Amino acid sequence: MAAKKNPNQENDNKKIENLAPHTEDGTGEFLTTNQGLKINDNQNSLKAGERGATLLEDFILREKITHFDHERIPERIVHARGSAAHGFFELYKPLPQYTKAKFLNDTSVKTPVFARFSTVAGSRGSTDLARDVRGFAVKFYTEEGNYDLVGNNIPVFFIQDAIKFPDLIHAVKPEPHNEIPQAASAHDTFWDFVSLMPESMHMIMWAMSDRAIPRSLRMMEGFGIHTFRLINEEGKSHFVKFHWKPLLGVHSVAWDEATKISGKDPDFHRRDLWEAIENGAFPEWEFGIQVIPEEDEHKFPFDLLDPTKIIPEETVPVQRIGKLTLNRNPDNFFAETEQVAFHPGHLVPGIDFSNDPLLQGRLFSYTDTQLSRLGGPNFHEIPINRPISPMHNNQRDGHMRQQINKGQVSYQPNSIGGGCPFQAKVAEGGFTSYEERIDARKIRVRSKSFMDHFSQATLFYNSQSEAEKNHIVEALSFELSKVEREEIRKRVLGLLTQVDKNLVAKVADNLGMQAPDKPMEPVNGSYPADADPKDYEPKAIKQDVDKSEALSMAKTIKDTIKTRQIAFLANNGVDAAIVDMKKALESEGAQVKIISLKLGTITDTSGAAIKVDQPFYSAASVLFDAVYVPGGEKSVHALKGEANAIHFLNEAYRHCKAIAADAEGVELVYASYISINMPADNKNLAKEGVIIDGSPADFIKAIAQHRFWDREKESKVPS
Ligand code: HDE
């Protein structure tokens, strides 16, 4: 039967831009109550006389305050702190051999998306720069319905089974008796849990690496983590891992810097994302897939269903199949970023799940959590959550129902409504689950194929550059030094012995402890009560590769300075040539900010006025990627007398950033700690990113390197 328009349902196929009938910008409109009554006085409540008591009948006051009283909704239980943007996805080439999903087959379609990035542990108002995993959730508004890829910036997870998730989150969140610490894993309960959870070791390596302190949300990778399935028109399934590859490269900050940014600008990532989009420097990622034929499911030295494992890119290359561009900031943080509801179970035909036990649990959790967070079952009607494809069904009523369903029929099958809405045949786009063969006993055990907890942790560690390895040692030392109970520290060291002997020796030394020669015995609770602990003993399985370049950030994209923030330290009398350096950097897409003693303007050697962007007392080197000291004797002289200017340079140097000074500007550099390491000719410092009297091109090349971690080998300068 041809699909007939259901007279009982009136939910038309609207474009996402038109989905918000109540959008208003408040300009040129009268102020009204929520019932549309024009308000005459929004400054005074209704009183019995000028000085009298306020009257209960003041419905305008009561409406306003009642609404205000209920402005907050519960924050997300995890990933509460987030920032988001609109954009679109474009496909490079159709993929009919793998999937029938329309948005992965039609290169002419720009699929609208909404992407939300988040930290996991902190509250909604916590700092962006916490050491933490970042959420990377993308909602594709496809013509076949919403598809959500709810991933992270780290390709593995702490645990292998969803049943442990509440424990993991209870352990990492602020401790329940005193709600300390906020947005930090450096405390006893987290490491207690980890120390009893050997499967967490691979993820711990990532979380203690610089991946957990990104320079920008625009400069981090994203991963779907779990193995999913792609299903083609013939019903054939391939396993797939999803990747997002940022076109600006993968970059991070230094830990000391992260802690300072948290004070100077806790909204650092949010602001960075917002400003990049406002400035037209749209963040971009390529979408990648690793595809594994179903027949190859058991060919790997790990289980594809185990979310604590990656498939090395050397083993299965990532095919880049399309591009995500974020080009529009939300109009309203609450309505969009806060109310968006992602769910790994929002699928379209052509994509399906695997049996990863972590993913399986998530499929329950995400709808369930919206019931308390967004207040009821109609959260799909909130504009940001609505599909752009038509939506018709017999679900009715509930809290805050928006849709006005007409007619008599709200059941199926029906004859009164002409049978509407109809079920769709597969050929009409009807979704069917992949017909996986299941022939099994009902059991509550961990698969033996999930028991290798350390080989990939070692692979990750071995794949890091020397600087990255040092950062992992420092991060573990920092975190464990905050753990009060020695037995927890000991147990963690016991786990680290199985990752890398050198690593554990360094961490133990920093903690003033002995590295144990073998791990501690398993503790009750880390395996089932009746199980033989031997069955839960980790087993090392040799991996296909010992090192994987893709796991290190050292070889990431380093040929662009687009959107990098450059501080120019200047004052009255600054060399007029400052303009040339500024233009050179800006023509490469960088952003230059003039930092001086006071806000207002300064005058250069030609007498021209230059606007000061930030004074030293509110600026900070940690908010910039590089520093330039232009010439002009008078300017340099004034800066030499400003302790904040010297501190600015010291700190940028300590954080291994590119620094440039022209022939006169070098005087300020001499006044800083940088001079301790300066050779007589000043030139040899260029390899470490300190460019004295060089060209703009030299400076640009240095900024593109992002950081000169080798500098850390020298003693760290105070800052
Ligand atoms: Fe989530 N997760 N999660 N998670 N998750 C939530 O859903 C959950 C997991 C991820 O920007 C919650 O709407 C369980 C892995 C992101 O709105 C909640 C388990 C990965 C976001 C939830 C996991 C994620 C969430 C909280 C273990 C990476 C933020 C609010 C089985 C692949 C989405 C909400 C946004 C949010 C449950 C594990 C990613 C409670 C039970 C693994 C990016 O439903």
Side-chain angles (χ1 to χ4, degrees), residues 160 446-453 535-539:
Q160 294 173 319
R446 189 77 43 89
S447 169
K448 295 251 182 304
S449 56
F450 277 39
M451 292 306 171
D452 179 3
H453 303 321
D535 288 342
Y536 280 79
E537 252 174 30
K539 312 254 177 307

Side-chain angles (χ1 to χ4, degrees), residues 76-79 116 118 135-137 150-152 157 162 165 223-226 340 342 358 361-362 365-366 369-370 373:
R76 287 167 174 79
I77 179 80
V78 282
H79 298 265
R116 183 176 180 273
S118 45
F136 193 131
V150 199
N152 281 345
F157 204 61
F165 191 64
F223 304 91
I225 299 190
H226 316 281
V340 65
F342 292 96
L358 190 70
R362 294 180 72 200
S365 181
Y366 288 69
T369 200
Q370 310 310 344
R373 190 173 79 78

Side-chain angles (χ1 to χ4, degrees), residues 284-295:
E284 293 172 319
W285 288 262
E286 283 185 318
F287 193 35
I289 50 173
Q290 286 177 297
V291 180
I292 303 101
E294 176 132 48
E295 313 75 88

